């Protein structure tokens, strides 16, 4: 179906982005052949680093004419293979479109380009007393455009929601090269279908995002973090349920198991607090009323101690707070470090909060039955668990056992009223499980939408649908 990039097409691409922004040497294209999923690798035929929506438009028009596939790419930090150029063709990199266009303090909004690094955006608006809440784990290296493609979340989702809750407007280039602008600075808008929310989480399969308008919040003045260890995860789970039942909504409510903490210790070569505990809760409270925050953290402490917590460690200044969060932020790298090849299979299943104990108990049972090391951690506040199968066994055994283990865990999550991905997306790694999570009616509707947007299947082909 697709055509290879010819010398003529290469020249045309050079004419659009400039010779210095078109990469065709295999060694130079290597970083664009993969994302953060281990063992997924497909080399493109070329990489174009664009600087404007007009360049994106010209490239997509050329792709329609010459019938070559285009894979949009932000910072390449995805965990589903969504930015891997499965069909070769062209990688369209938005890394150079990384400006802040406007910070509108009157309307509490910011306009940015898709290559803007999420952490940089957060720090920039904070200097103006403003707050952009979504905080994926890779916030210092992932891009806003990638966050929109996957509808990224993070620890603060329990109180503040995820990326989709902040997108007020988009500039997008459709697969035929048409440039259109959706939404704007109005707080309310029910004029027609909500195309913005259709595109958020569409994984670069429907359009290329070239401009983003995000709503902001006033920056909370007060913060407190709590680290609370337990001898048993069931005690931690009961505490989470009671915290929510008592109408306390933390900014973050995370959990770590002892195996995660010990992995971090091995990586850092130093002790982590409460490393002998079976489970730890890491809780953030924020707001502007210090008295309310103090009341909430004292109430949380009482709840947890009544449920068997070993201690409640409180951090009220920036240095201590960062020290508490350091272990949590190092978990992914620490788990990779457990594998001789730095390889693991990562899932991000999600279930209703009340079913977390059953999910984690089921995962441990799968681990025992399959003889695989599986380490889980994640967002207790929203039921999103990152499940990591560590590759520390023979290659043949790994290839035999891992697919069956992954399927068992997905089916477990579905049986508990959950689904197969909470924030990482379907991409390449989960598309064979799509029919387990969605009925055929939903899948057919999605395929029709894809066909209407992209009848020649030029844009990010091979993703989401089996």
């Amino acid at each position: 179906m697709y055509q290879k990039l010819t010398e003529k097409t290469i020249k045309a691409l050079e004419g659009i982005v400039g010779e210095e922004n078109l990469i065709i040497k295999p060694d130079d294209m290597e970083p664009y052949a993969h994302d953060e999923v281990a063992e997924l690798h497909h080399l493109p035929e070329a990489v174009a680093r664009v600087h404007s929506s007009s360049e994106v438009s010209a490239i997509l028009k050329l792709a329609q004419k010459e019938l070559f596939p285009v894979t949009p790419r932000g910072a390449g930090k995805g965990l589903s293979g969504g930015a891997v150029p499965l069909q070769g063709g062209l990688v369209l990199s938005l890394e150079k479109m990384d400006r802040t266009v406007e910070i509108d303090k009157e309307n509490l909004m910011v306009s940015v380009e898709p290559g803007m690094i999420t952490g940089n955006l957060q720090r920039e608006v904070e200097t103006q007393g403003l707050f952009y809440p979504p905080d994926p784990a890779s916030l210092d290296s992932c891009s806003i455009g990638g966050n929109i493609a996957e509808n990224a979340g993070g620890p603060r989702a329990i109180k503040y929601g995820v990326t989709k809750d902040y997108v007020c407007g988009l500039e997008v280039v459709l697969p035929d090269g048409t440039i259109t602008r959706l939404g704007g600075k109005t707080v309310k808008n029910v004029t027609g279908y909500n195309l913005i929310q259709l595109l958020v989480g569409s994984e670069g399969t429907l359009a290329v995002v070239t401009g983003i308008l995000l709503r902001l919040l006033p920056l909370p003045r007060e913060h407190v973090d709590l680290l609370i260890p337990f001898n048993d995860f069931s005690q931690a789970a009961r505490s989470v349920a009671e915290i929510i039942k008592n109408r306390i909504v933390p900014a973050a409510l995370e959990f770590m198991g002892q195996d995660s903490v010990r992995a971090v210790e091995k990586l850092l070569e130093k002790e982590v607090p409460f490393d002998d505990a079976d489970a730890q809760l890491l809780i953030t409270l924020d707001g502007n009323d210090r008295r309310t925050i103090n009341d909430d953290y004292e109430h949380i402490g009482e709840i947890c101690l009544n449920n068997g917590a070993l201690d409640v460690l409180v951090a009220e200044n920036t240095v201590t707070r960062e020290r508490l969060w350091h272990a949590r932020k190092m978990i992914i790298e620490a788990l990779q470090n457990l594998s001789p090849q730095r390889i693991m299979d990562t899932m991000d299943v999600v279930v209703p909060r009340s079913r977390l104990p059953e999910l984690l108990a089921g995962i441990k049972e799968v681990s025992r039955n399959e003889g695989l090391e599986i380490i889980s951690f994640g967002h207790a506040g929203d039921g999103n668990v990152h499940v990591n199968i560590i590759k520390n066994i023979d290659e043949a055994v790994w290839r035999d056992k891992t697919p069956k283990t992954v399927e068992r865990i997905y089916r477990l999550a579905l049986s508990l009223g959950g689904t197969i991905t909470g924030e990482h997306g379907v991409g390449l790694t989960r598309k064979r499980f799509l029919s387990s999570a969605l009925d055929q009616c939903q899948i057919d509707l999605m395929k029709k939408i894809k066909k209407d947007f992209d009848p020649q299947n030029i844009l990010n082909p091979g993703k989401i649908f089996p």
Side-chain angles (χ1 to χ4, degrees):
M1 172 185 175
Y2 301 112
Q3 302 298 314
K4 294 289 186 181
L5 298 183
T6 64
E7 188 174 334
K8 178 183 175 183
T9 305
I10 294 294
K11 286 294 182 185
L13 290 167
E14 286 179 351
I16 295 169
V17 299
E19 186 177 352
E20 69 280 8
N21 289 307
L22 188 70
I23 304 171
I24 55 175
K25 293 180 179 179
D27 287 349
D28 295 338
M29 291 192 292
E30 177 62 30
Y32 301 89
H34 59 86
D35 61 5
E36 292 297 302
V37 178
E39 300 184 293
L40 263 186
H41 182 280
H42 291 271
L43 200 68
E45 297 165 60
V47 177
R49 297 181 297 197
V50 295
H51 292 78
S52 67
S53 56
S54 60
E55 290 182 0
V56 175
S57 174
I59 286 172
L60 291 180
K61 287 177 180 177
L62 180 64
Q64 293 289 338
K65 179 182 176 183
E66 301 296 336
L67 288 178
F68 61 83
V70 176
T71 303
R73 182 183 176 94
K77 297 300 177 180
L79 287 163
S80 68
V84 176
L86 182 65
Q87 302 291 343
L90 180 75
V91 166
L92 193 156
S93 172
L94 296 137
E95 64 190 291
K96 298 294 184 182
M97 295 181 67
D98 61 353
R99 295 183 306 123
T100 301
V101 178
E102 178 194 23
I103 298 177
D104 183 345
K105 291 187 285 187
E106 290 185 356
N107 288 302
L108 295 182
M109 293 194 182
V110 61
S111 179
V112 299
E113 292 181 330
M116 165 67 74
I117 299 301
T118 306
N120 292 345
L121 169 64
Q122 290 181 340
R123 286 182 284 271
E124 187 171 351
V125 300
E126 283 174 9
T127 65
Q128 306 294 317
L130 300 170
F131 181 40
Y132 178 66
D135 59 334
S138 57
L139 65 89
D140 286 320
S141 54
C142 66
S143 67
I144 293 291
N147 293 171
I148 286 174
E150 304 295 348
N151 191 20
R156 290 197 286 246
I158 179 178
K159 180 176 181 178
Y160 292 106
V162 295
T163 301
K164 70 179 177 63
D165 300 306
Y166 295 87
V167 183
C168 296
L170 294 174
E171 178 188 76
V172 301
V173 184
L174 302 178
D176 66 359
T178 300
I179 301 173
T180 188
R181 291 169 180 82
L182 311 173
K185 292 184 179 181
T186 56
V187 176
K188 297 179 179 178
N189 184 350
V190 292
T191 311
Y193 295 144
N194 193 335
L195 295 176
I196 291 174
Q197 292 303 319
L198 174 61
L199 294 176
V200 175
S202 63
E203 304 189 31
T205 62
L206 302 180
V208 179
V209 173
T210 53
I212 302 157
L213 180 66
L214 300 167
R215 74 180 182 95
L216 302 172
L217 301 176
L219 182 66
R221 293 192 296 268
E222 304 287 346
H223 299 82
V224 169
D225 287 298
L226 310 175
L227 183 64
I228 308 175
F230 296 84
N231 272 330
D232 189 281
F233 181 79
S234 63
Q235 299 170 329
R238 284 198 303 271
S239 299
V240 170
E242 286 189 39
I243 289 167
I244 303 301
K245 184 178 179 180
N246 279 271
R247 307 295 189 267
I248 302 172
V249 183
L253 180 45
E254 301 286 286
F255 78 89
M256 302 178 289
Q258 186 184 70
D259 45 11
S260 300
V261 172
R262 292 280 169 84
V264 172
E265 286 185 324
K266 184 175 180 180
L267 175 69
L268 299 179
E269 298 182 341
K270 65 179 183 181
E271 287 189 2
V272 171
F274 307 118
D275 61 353
D276 56 345
D278 181 64
Q280 298 183 21
L281 292 182
L282 184 55
I283 302 173
T284 298
L285 296 165
D286 68 0
N288 295 321
D289 184 346
R290 187 68 192 189
R291 180 179 297 175
T292 299
I293 289 178
N294 289 347
D295 288 346
D296 283 348
Y297 87 64
E298 287 179 5
H299 195 179
I300 288 173
E302 289 175 7
I303 289 170
C304 293
L305 289 170
N306 287 338
N307 279 303
L310 300 172
D311 201 348
V312 178
L313 184 61
V314 181
E316 301 187 61
N317 61 67
T318 301
V319 174
T320 310
R321 292 177 59 234
E322 288 179 353
R323 189 176 301 142
L324 287 193
W325 275 93
H326 185 59
R328 169 63 180 87
K329 291 179 179 179
M330 295 299 295
I331 288 178
I332 288 289
E333 186 177 346
L335 298 187
Q336 290 174 335
N337 188 55
L338 295 179
S339 167
Q341 300 89 14
R342 293 185 62 82
I343 291 173
M344 60 186 182
D345 196 305
T346 299
M347 293 165 275
D348 77 312
V349 296
V350 59
V351 297
R353 282 186 294 239
S354 61
R355 309 303 293 271
L356 264 180
E358 296 167 82
L359 175 67
L360 292 170
I363 291 170
K364 286 185 177 181
E365 182 180 353
V366 171
S367 177
R368 287 192 298 268
N369 291 342
E370 296 295 338
L372 294 172
E373 185 175 11
I374 303 177
I375 298 178
S376 303
F377 68 95
H379 316 305
D382 57 31
N384 187 193
V385 178
H386 300 302
V387 185
N388 306 276
I389 308 174
I390 311 299
K391 186 179 181 181
N392 54 12
I393 55 176
D394 177 77
E395 180 74 24
V397 177
W398 169 262
R399 295 196 177 278
D400 175 58
K401 288 191 172 187
T402 302
K404 294 181 291 185
T405 302
V406 169
E407 183 170 359
R408 287 187 63 185
I409 291 171
Y410 284 144
R411 293 198 181 281
L412 171 64
L414 291 166
S415 74
L416 296 172
T419 193
I420 62 175
T421 175
E423 58 187 1
H424 292 166
V426 177
L428 283 174
T429 59
R430 298 174 185 91
K431 65 180 184 177
R432 70 186 178 97
F433 301 103
L434 191 68
S435 61
S436 299
L438 303 176
D439 64 34
Q440 195 57 47
C441 177
Q442 295 176 75
I443 294 172
D444 288 344
L445 283 171
M446 292 179 185
K447 286 183 175 180
K448 288 176 184 176
I449 291 169
K450 168 64 173 173
K451 189 171 184 180
D452 282 343
F453 270 81
D454 186 13
Q456 297 203 84
N457 200 27
I458 291 297
L459 201 55
N460 209 8
K463 311 300 166 57
I464 300 179
F465 304 110

